């Protein structure tokens, strides 16, 4: 019984989640301002097709951000990073892409 439950929880039929975590350069709030509209347009494009499910900057201090992707492969997240104006214009000093095992969700 327990093995069946574990197998069902790790089933490939569940959507894959990825967390993209950004670290920002110092003074990112000021430095990102010229690129914010195009960054938000990119995020909106991914949100519109259901790929991005949530995201935003960390607060107090604003030293990074996280964006959660659903139902895609790692390459899709990498494409997002490679096209993100924050990355292109060096507002992001470092990023990490991690597959995320969601255990509890409201969906």
């Amino acid at each position: 019984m327990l093995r069946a439950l574990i197998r069902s929880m790790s089933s490939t039929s569940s959507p894959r989640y990825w967390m993209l975590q950004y670290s920002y350069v110092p003074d990112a709030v000021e430095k990102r301002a010229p690129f914010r509209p195009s960054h938000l347009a990119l995020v909106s494009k991914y949100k519109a097709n259901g790929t991005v499910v949530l995201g935003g900057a960390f607060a107090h201090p604003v030293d990074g951000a996280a964006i959660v992707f659903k139902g895609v492969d790692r390459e899709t997240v990498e494409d997002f990073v490679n096209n993100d104006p924050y990355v292109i214009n060096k507002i992001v000093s470092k990023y990490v892409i991690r597959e995320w095992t969601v255990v509890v969700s409201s969906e």
Side-chain angles (χ1 to χ4, degrees), residues 65-80:
I67 303 172
V68 177
F69 294 77
K70 177 182 174 185
V72 296
D73 55 20
R74 182 182 180 92
E75 290 73 29
T76 301
V77 182
E78 289 171 350
D79 286 344
F80 176 92

Side-chain angles (χ1 to χ4, degrees), residues 37-76:
S38 52
H39 165 76
L40 293 176
L42 179 66
V43 173
S44 294
K45 176 181 147 188
Y46 281 75
K47 183 182 177 295
N49 70 17
T51 301
V52 165
V53 293
L54 64 109
F58 301 128
H60 313 296
V62 180
D63 60 356
I67 303 172
V68 177
F69 294 77
K70 177 182 174 185
V72 296
D73 55 20
R74 182 182 180 92
E75 290 73 29
T76 301

Side-chain angles (χ1 to χ4, degrees), residues 6-22:
I6 291 169
R7 263 196 311 273
S8 71
M9 289 174 63
S10 63
S11 168
T12 55
S13 64
S14 346
R16 292 173 78 182
Y17 286 84
W18 297 90
M19 180 173 288
L20 170 61
Q21 186 173 351
Y22 282 165

